[in-house]
Amino acid sequence: MKNLTAIMFAAGIAIFSHSCTPKEEKKQDEMVDAFVIVNDGFEPSNEVTDYSNDLIYSEFEKQYAINKTKIKPWRDKAMIVKSHADELINFMEDCKIRILETASEQEAIVKKNGARTINLSKVDKKDNQITPTQIMIDEERGIQLKQKIHDFSDFLIKMIEGERGNESVTLISGLLNVEDHMGEEGDFHSWESNNFEYLPLMAVITILSKIQGDVRNAENIVLRWLLSNISMDDNQTLIGFCAVVCPSDAKLNYGEDFKAEVFLPLSQLNQNVEIYLGEFEKSTLEPKPGAKKLKVTDQGIGKVFIKKPAVGKHSFKGFIRANVDGKIGVWDFSVDFLVE
């Protein structure tokens, strides 16, 4: 797991380990405040991944309503993945709350839609290094988190290993890497010490937010694999199956690019699909003039990319074509998004 301290504190980590001059104290304050910005960047990114995962879970429910017998094994696996991921996310959220409560930073804990959430701008002593160390190191929550991440990674990899290939396993291993490492002088640094010991409260909260995002991204990789493995028996109808669209976000800020992935939850079609933006002739199922063919990955995923769309409401539609037993099948889709 990429260590944020290596990014944010490469030039100034020593400031936190010795007495500071006034100039160094100002620099320390600026670096700690920067974590508010970084964390605020992680939160929307995590929400986008949550949204993508929710779309896939909704698709499982939709397909389950159509064919319970066929979909149940894959839906059940998806629900187990969700349960494990939620448990890990909630543990990290509890760590954040515990740190803030112990540090008497209750004002930073606010309620949103009935749930507790965190507003880091309301944290008073952002450079508090004692409390995070107490909670994550002395109370061994860092060690517990390390084991939970390791177990979750092992669970996901065992589910897909040998089924989808090394690429997804490599991605999950990278996202959920909790290996200890040796320092430049040969000294040992545990994962939990490297991420939580004697770092400012703001840094620790931000690191936990990043790990939460990594967990959701790993969850997303496996959910896509599970959905793509919904297969058809010889007697199973294609009616009811829908193209799945996972947008980067339903609302963008001006200047951001729009991205989306489009695919069918039918594994044996993934190697033999064409995905288009535009319309098709209903009589022939051929693309209409102007329809744009998308590049499709080996997993049957089409990538939609719209560079910096203008302010306002946008919509696009398209379709997926596949040859099934010598017959052409078409599944259409549409997406709406807003640029502010």
Side-chain angles (χ1 to χ4, degrees):
M1 190 170 297
K2 198 167 186 178
N3 184 2
L4 285 181
T5 59
I7 300 173
M8 299 296 297
F9 287 92
I13 191 66
I15 294 176
F16 296 106
S17 60
H18 67 272
S19 298
C20 299
T21 65
K23 184 176 181 180
E24 288 174 327
E25 287 179 352
K26 181 179 179 181
K27 186 175 181 180
Q28 174 180 328
D29 291 341
E30 291 173 349
M31 294 176 69
V32 171
D33 287 339
F35 275 102
V36 178
I37 299 173
V38 174
N39 188 80
D40 288 347
F42 282 136
E43 295 296 340
S45 177
N46 292 351
E47 289 176 3
V48 169
T49 307
D50 287 343
Y51 176 67
S52 176
N53 289 347
D54 287 344
L55 285 176
I56 298 177
Y57 286 121
S58 295
E59 185 64 23
F60 272 112
E61 295 304 322
K62 185 189 301 180
Q63 302 301 337
Y64 181 69
I66 295 169
N67 190 332
K68 290 182 172 59
T69 301
K70 192 66 182 179
I71 306 304
K72 187 178 187 303
W74 302 105
R75 174 183 174 272
D76 288 350
K77 288 181 180 180
M79 293 302 104
I80 294 173
V81 170
K82 176 176 172 57
S83 176
H84 286 359
D86 287 349
E87 179 183 353
L88 185 48
I89 293 293
N90 291 337
F91 179 81
M92 285 184 276
E93 201 65 23
D94 288 343
C95 288
K96 293 180 185 179
I97 298 296
R98 172 71 173 156
I99 290 170
L100 292 171
E101 288 179 339
T102 304
S104 299
E105 298 282 3
Q106 283 85 351
E107 288 189 5
I109 305 171
V110 296
K111 280 194 173 182
K112 183 179 180 182
N113 299 326
R116 291 187 302 177
T117 186
I118 296 171
N119 185 344
L120 291 184
S121 65
K122 294 186 177 182
V123 173
D124 182 27
K125 296 182 179 179
K126 298 180 176 66
D127 60 349
N128 178 350
Q129 301 175 43
I130 302 301
T131 304
T133 301
Q134 173 189 337
I135 303 303
M136 301 304 295
I137 303 300
D138 297 342
E139 296 184 6
E140 298 188 344
R141 291 186 181 232
I143 293 178
Q144 295 173 39
L145 176 58
K146 177 182 179 179
Q147 186 62 50
K148 288 177 181 292
I149 294 172
H150 177 273
D151 292 345
F152 183 62
S153 176
D154 190 55
F155 163 73
L156 295 181
I157 289 173
K158 284 182 179 178
M159 180 173 287
I160 67 173
E161 196 168 28
E163 297 286 347
R164 189 172 178 179
N166 293 329
E167 181 180 354
S168 294
V169 171
T170 300
L171 287 172
I172 292 171
S173 298
L175 286 168
L176 304 178
N177 180 12
V178 290
E179 292 182 356
D180 303 322
H181 74 278
M182 302 297 292
E184 294 180 358
E185 299 180 359
D187 49 333
F188 174 80
H189 294 277
S190 69
W191 176 86
E192 61 273 15
S193 174
N194 206 42
N195 282 281
F196 306 120
E197 189 169 18
Y198 295 117
L199 291 180
L201 183 150
M202 295 300 299
V204 171
I205 296 294
T206 302
I207 289 169
L208 288 169
S209 293
K210 179 191 180 296
I211 298 173
Q212 287 176 315
D214 292 339
V215 168
R216 289 304 189 196
N217 279 311
E219 176 188 11
N220 186 267
I221 291 170
V222 176
L223 288 179
R224 289 174 185 273
W225 174 78
L226 289 171
L227 191 60
S228 72
N229 273 273
I230 296 175
S231 60
M232 298 181 298
D233 291 330
D234 292 338
N235 297 324
Q236 184 177 340
T237 177
L238 293 176
I239 297 174
F241 282 95
C242 306
V244 178
V245 183
C246 294
S248 57
D249 203 348
K251 183 184 292 185
L252 302 176
N253 294 319
Y254 177 68
E256 294 180 330
D257 299 326
F258 177 84
K259 301 175 184 178
E261 295 185 346
V262 185
F263 59 96
L264 277 176
L266 300 166
S267 60
Q268 63 266 57
L269 301 185
N270 287 344
Q271 303 295 328
N272 188 32
V273 300
E274 297 176 348
I275 304 178
Y276 294 85
L277 292 183
E279 299 181 336
F280 63 93
E281 297 286 354
K282 293 184 178 180
S283 58
T284 63
L285 302 184
E286 292 293 328
K288 285 186 176 181
K292 179 182 178 182
K293 189 175 183 179
L294 301 178
K295 290 184 178 180
V296 179
T297 69
D298 291 340
Q299 289 76 38
I301 299 173
K303 304 282 188 176
V304 179
F305 178 83
I306 302 176
K307 186 175 180 63
K308 297 180 180 178
V311 172
K313 294 181 179 180
H314 295 262
S315 64
F316 67 84
K317 53 187 175 181
F319 59 95
I320 300 177
R321 296 175 80 244
N323 189 316
V324 184
D325 295 330
K327 296 181 180 180
I328 298 296
V330 174
W331 297 260
D332 57 358
F333 59 86
S334 62
V335 174
D336 299 315
F337 65 95
L338 176 67
V339 180
E340 296 182 328

